[in-house]
Each structure stands twice: as structure tokens, then as C-alpha cells.
Amino acid sequence: MKVVRFAHLRNLRRRFVGLALVLCIAPIAQAALPRELRVPGGVALVKVGDAASPAPTASRDGAKLWVARRGGDWVAVVGIALSTTPGEQQISVETGGATSTQSFRVKAKSYPVQKLKLDRAMVDPPPEVMTRIERESSHLKLVRNTWRADAETSAAFIIPANGPLSSRFGVARVLNGQPRSPHAGLDVAVATGSTVIAPGDGIVVDTGDYYFCGKGLFVDHGSGLITMYCHLSEFIAKNGDRVKQGEPIARSGGTGRATGPHLHWSVFLNGVSVEPELFLPAKPQTAR
Ligand SMILES: [Zn+2]
């Protein structure tokens, strides 16, 4: 009996040692990263260290950057603002107390122009709503820039609504003949009441009724990756809810500044709006 028990224990010990070895030599999980496109509105993956060393921290214009593992490297996943001037750009990297600078090049990209006719109040808001717009703008800026570090952050998104893409990211907009900020999201033409799903796992961090966005909802995916949904008719998930990829979060509509019902979807990285399609599975080039 005793012999059998010892053999059993030895077996267990062997299994434990085996498991510990597997855990030690198993590579650190590779994060699913967005596709790289070094243009205004794109994403740069900038090497900031060797994965054999602890992860450095990186920042750009004071905003902390997502640092993820790619192969044998640590890379900073840098969201490049649409307003970025093409040319040499820099990020700041901190390794073991020492700060250094890393450069990368941003190429020019010309986005198409779209002319729209909208209700005058939406293009030139009346003075009485300016206070509301300013208040909402600083609130939304805070939402875009508040995030938690999360080792599980994944950029492998699925599209949050199914429908034709009616306006692409980055399109230069001329509203009622006046040039305005470029389109900082992707529009999906869907009827009011269509289900909007979470493109990836995350936490709902804000819901509200905003002048331009209408009914809007934000999901924090961790590490500075935040998504926004505008013109909704109804919220399904509420503030603080943990959501899984594919889970319904809202219903689409035409609230706020919208010419008709559609979903406006924005993706933010380090506080700036970037091309959502870089987070979706690659499509054949003919789709563009
Ligand atoms: Zn839009």
C-alpha cells in the first residue's frame, strides 16, 4: 500500500515539476496588434526594447502608450492623430529610470473629400448651446484619455454592426460649404434599432447624450484602446458593465449630428482617433 502511495506522490511531483517547467518556458502571450500604417490617422508599431528585458514605458505628447510584445521585441503601439504633420515623429521611452527618444517616420496620406448638407444648427451651433458643447468636449476628452493598463488588451476586433460602410475614416468634410474637421470614425449604414455589438472585450466606461454624438457609449479595452459609438437610439449595456466580444451593447439610431440613421464608430489609441479598419481582419484591396 505504502509503495503505491509513494509512487503516486512521485507521480504527482513529476507532474508538478513538468507543469512548472512548461509555465517557465512558455512564451509571454503575444498581444493581437493592429495592422501598421504610418500615416496621419494610422498606427505605428515602434520597437522600444528587447522582450528578454522587462517592458519599458513609452509616451507621446504626455500620453502614455500601449507597450506590447511582438516576437522578440517590445513595441509601442502609437496612435497617430489625423492632424499630425508627415515627417519625423518622436516618442519618449523609459527603461529602468533612463529616458530616451525613439523616432519614426509618418508618410503623407490624402483622404477623399465629402460634401454634406446638414441642418444649420448642427454646422453653426447657436450661441446658447456653445457652453454645452464645450462642457461635453472636455468631458469626452477625459473619457478618451482615461484608461487602465491591461495585459489582455487585444486589437483583434470584429465590426460592431453589419451594413454597408457609408463614410470612411479620415474623409475631409465640407459641411454646407464650410471645411470642417475630418471624419474621425467609420460609418456603418444600419436602420434605427439595429444591434451594435462589442468589437472586443472591455468595460463600458461612459454613456451619455451629447450634442454632436447623440446617444453615445464608450468601451475601454485597456492599454489606451477605447472605442466610441454615436447616434444610438438605445443602450443595452450600462456604465461599468464588462462586455465580451460580440455581446450586444446598444441599438443604432440617428440621434445627434446625423443625416440619417447609421452607426458612427471611432477607435482611439493614446487619446487620438485612428483608422478602425486597421483593427478588423484584412480585406482584399478591391474592397476600398
Ligand atoms: Zn461618422
Side-chain angles (χ1 to χ4, degrees), residues 173 183 187 231 262 264:
R173 289 196 148 170
H183 187 226
D187 286 354
H231 315 308
H262 70 276
H264 171 100

Side-chain angles (χ1 to χ4, degrees), residues 128-190:
E128 61 270 23
V129 297
M130 285 317 287
T131 321
R132 176 186 170 188
I133 292 171
E134 278 158 25
R135 190 182 58 234
E136 290 179 359
S137 149
S138 49
H139 168 74
L140 296 174
K141 195 173 171 197
L142 187 70
V143 173
R144 288 197 302 270
N145 285 286
T146 311
W147 50 274
R148 65 208 158 82
D150 187 350
E152 303 295 311
T153 298
S154 166
F157 282 168
I158 53 174
I159 195 141
N162 277 314
L165 303 181
S166 47
S167 180
R168 297 314 244 275
F169 173 87
V171 170
R173 289 196 148 170
V174 180
L175 305 183
N176 298 357
Q178 302 173 33
R180 288 298 155 103
S181 330
H183 187 226
L186 179 65
D187 286 354
V188 188
V190 278

Side-chain angles (χ1 to χ4, degrees), residues 196-199 204 217 219 229 234-237 243 247-251:
V196 177
I197 58 168
V204 177
L217 181 147
V219 178
Y229 310 82
E234 203 185 317
F235 301 124
I236 296 175
V243 291
E247 208 176 300
I249 49 172
R251 293 199 194 285

